Amino acid sequence: MPNIFSQFQKEDECRKMLEASRWENGKPHCPFCGNEKYYVIEGGKRYKCANNKCYKKYSATTGTIFENSKLPLSLWFTAMHIITAHKKGISSCQLARDLGVEQKTAWFMNHRIREALKEKNSPLLDGTIEADETYMGRKYRADYKGLQPEEIDHKLSSKIKNKGAVLGLADRKNGTIRVKVFESNKTEFVVDAVRKNVSQGSVLHTDGSELYNSVEDEYFREKVIHSKKEWVKESMIVDKVHVNNVENFWGVMKRGVYGIYHQISFKHLERYADEFSYRYNSRKISDKERFNLTLERVNGRLTYNTLTGKNEISPEK
């Protein structure tokens, strides 16, 4: 831990790192109007746009996950390093102890950093793609502890009982994975996600689930039937047929959920999926390289109201 903290001890150096990552050659430009001329204010901590139609004040944190935070960048950078380096994640309670902040603060930091880890404008997958699905969200009965079975059935008569299905799409060519989150494991959700993320004509390896039957005309589907104890078999097209890469990822994520977080609500499931897939996809680079990669992705702000559901957002279907 002391070695991690020593990398980010000086606030000025952290600010320069962020400026160099956000702006070409570290030269500021206004995030509101794009003007490259500015005035230096507050001893170099902030800038003022020189455009007479703008004149807005900004800093390197404007428009990022760090915006409007009272915590120093040195603490944020330490948290980013810890979260992205831990293979199975870190709880907000443990992060709070490591950073010397309250648990609520660490929880909010955790989710803001996860916001930076989400995929943006990702190209369609092609080649040989493995597809598999599972449940990760908390079981419905956790929301109705103490109620009688008939009361639960009445409350759930028009609701989905087990929220939190996830679909994993593993790219066999480059060893990466993409995770999509749904309320439930329905054909319409899974099929739509496959079409939006995998190029038509690609080879699709699945298990024996009937969820993929309706896309067999669009993809070269091959499957292994686990009920018949098929795990790997020869392909009629290319590569061996299996979904082992996705299932290996599920193993890592489920151990992280059960051992670190214990349970995940559906409301936040998508961010946890982004966190685990990001670490998995960057597993072959060093912790330092992963931190620098994360620093390049910090654009975009997550407010507390949005996080807690006061400004309601829904996971992608």
Side-chain angles (χ1 to χ4, degrees):
M1 189 62 67
N3 291 333
I4 296 175
F5 276 106
S6 65
Q7 297 177 37
F8 314 121
Q9 279 186 335
K10 297 182 180 180
E11 189 69 10
D12 288 346
E13 292 184 2
C14 291
R15 188 172 62 253
K16 289 178 181 177
M17 287 175 61
L18 180 58
E19 289 180 350
S21 176
R22 286 202 73 193
W23 298 321
E24 189 175 354
N25 300 321
K27 184 179 178 181
H29 62 263
C30 179
F32 303 104
C33 70
N35 186 37
E36 296 184 356
K37 294 184 179 181
Y38 57 90
Y39 303 108
V40 178
I41 59 176
E42 299 180 20
K45 294 181 181 180
R46 299 180 71 196
Y47 306 94
K48 185 175 181 180
C49 180
N51 180 357
N52 58 11
K53 294 183 180 180
C54 183
Y55 276 150
K56 290 184 178 179
K57 297 177 182 179
Y58 61 92
S59 69
T61 63
T62 302
T64 70
I65 62 172
F66 313 120
E67 185 174 357
N68 282 357
S69 172
K70 295 180 180 179
L71 299 175
L73 281 175
S74 54
L75 210 59
W76 274 106
F77 283 13
T78 302
M80 284 173 55
H81 193 292
I82 293 173
I83 291 169
T84 56
H86 280 61
K87 185 176 182 181
K88 295 183 179 67
I90 182 170
S91 69
S92 58
C93 293
Q94 183 61 55
L95 185 64
R97 288 192 288 269
D98 290 346
L99 299 180
V101 299
E102 293 183 358
Q103 182 272 336
K104 183 178 179 180
T105 300
W107 179 79
F108 190 24
M109 293 177 75
N110 234 330
H111 278 292
R112 275 194 171 188
I113 291 170
R114 290 186 185 111
E115 186 72 11
L117 306 184
K118 69 193 304 182
E119 288 194 7
K120 304 178 181 74
N121 302 320
S122 302
L124 291 176
L125 303 171
D126 59 12
T128 302
I129 307 300
E130 299 173 25
D132 190 43
E133 69 292 328
T134 188
Y135 274 98
M136 287 286 184
R138 183 173 59 191
K139 299 300 183 184
Y140 76 99
R141 288 189 181 273
D143 295 324
Y144 299 101
K145 288 183 179 178
L147 297 181
Q148 295 298 317
E150 56 271 16
E151 292 181 277
I152 296 175
D153 291 338
H154 176 71
K155 287 179 177 291
L156 294 174
S157 59
S158 61
K159 295 182 180 179
I160 297 166
K161 289 190 175 182
N162 292 331
K163 281 190 174 183
V166 285
L167 169 69
L169 298 168
D171 189 330
R172 191 82 63 82
K173 178 173 56 179
N174 56 30
T176 60
I177 195 160
R178 189 173 298 179
V179 182
K180 296 300 173 183
V181 175
F182 320 108
E183 285 188 342
S184 68
N185 211 359
K186 286 187 175 180
T187 300
E188 58 188 284
F189 296 155
V190 173
V191 166
D192 186 56
V194 170
R195 286 171 175 160
K196 286 182 177 179
N197 289 276
V198 183
S199 298
Q200 288 195 11
S202 298
V203 178
L204 192 66
H205 287 178
T206 74
D207 57 17
S209 173
E210 296 181 357
L211 293 170
Y212 307 94
N213 289 353
S214 60
V215 296
E216 289 184 346
D217 293 337
E218 304 167 49
Y219 302 92
F220 297 102
R221 182 193 178 192
E222 293 187 290
K223 55 189 175 183
V224 285
I225 312 298
H226 291 165
S227 61
K228 295 182 179 179
K229 300 192 181 302
E230 287 183 353
W231 311 109
V232 181
K233 71 178 186 181
E234 294 298 324
S235 169
M236 300 293 292
I237 305 170
V238 64
D239 299 327
K240 290 185 179 294
V241 183
H242 62 78
V243 290
N244 292 347
N245 290 309
V246 185
E247 291 184 339
N248 288 342
F249 173 77
W250 293 150
V252 173
M253 186 171 177
K254 287 184 177 182
R255 286 182 180 90
V257 172
Y258 298 153
I260 305 297
Y261 304 116
H262 306 308
Q263 63 181 17
I264 296 177
S265 66
F266 175 67
K267 179 166 63 176
H268 301 303
L269 177 56
E270 187 169 20
R271 293 191 184 89
Y272 284 97
D274 291 334
E275 174 192 352
F276 278 94
S277 61
Y278 178 79
R279 276 198 302 265
Y280 181 88
N281 292 339
S282 59
R283 66 192 181 279
K284 295 181 180 179
I285 61 179
S286 68
D287 291 344
K288 182 179 180 181
E289 291 172 319
R290 190 181 300 107
F291 170 82
N292 291 333
L293 179 63
T294 307
L295 195 60
E296 296 173 0
R297 302 168 61 133
V298 296
N299 286 346
R301 186 183 170 198
L302 175 65
T303 66
Y304 191 78
N305 284 345
T306 297
L307 177 59
T308 55
K310 293 181 180 179
N311 297 335
E312 193 64 37
I313 55 174
S314 300
E316 178 183 349
K317 296 294 186 295

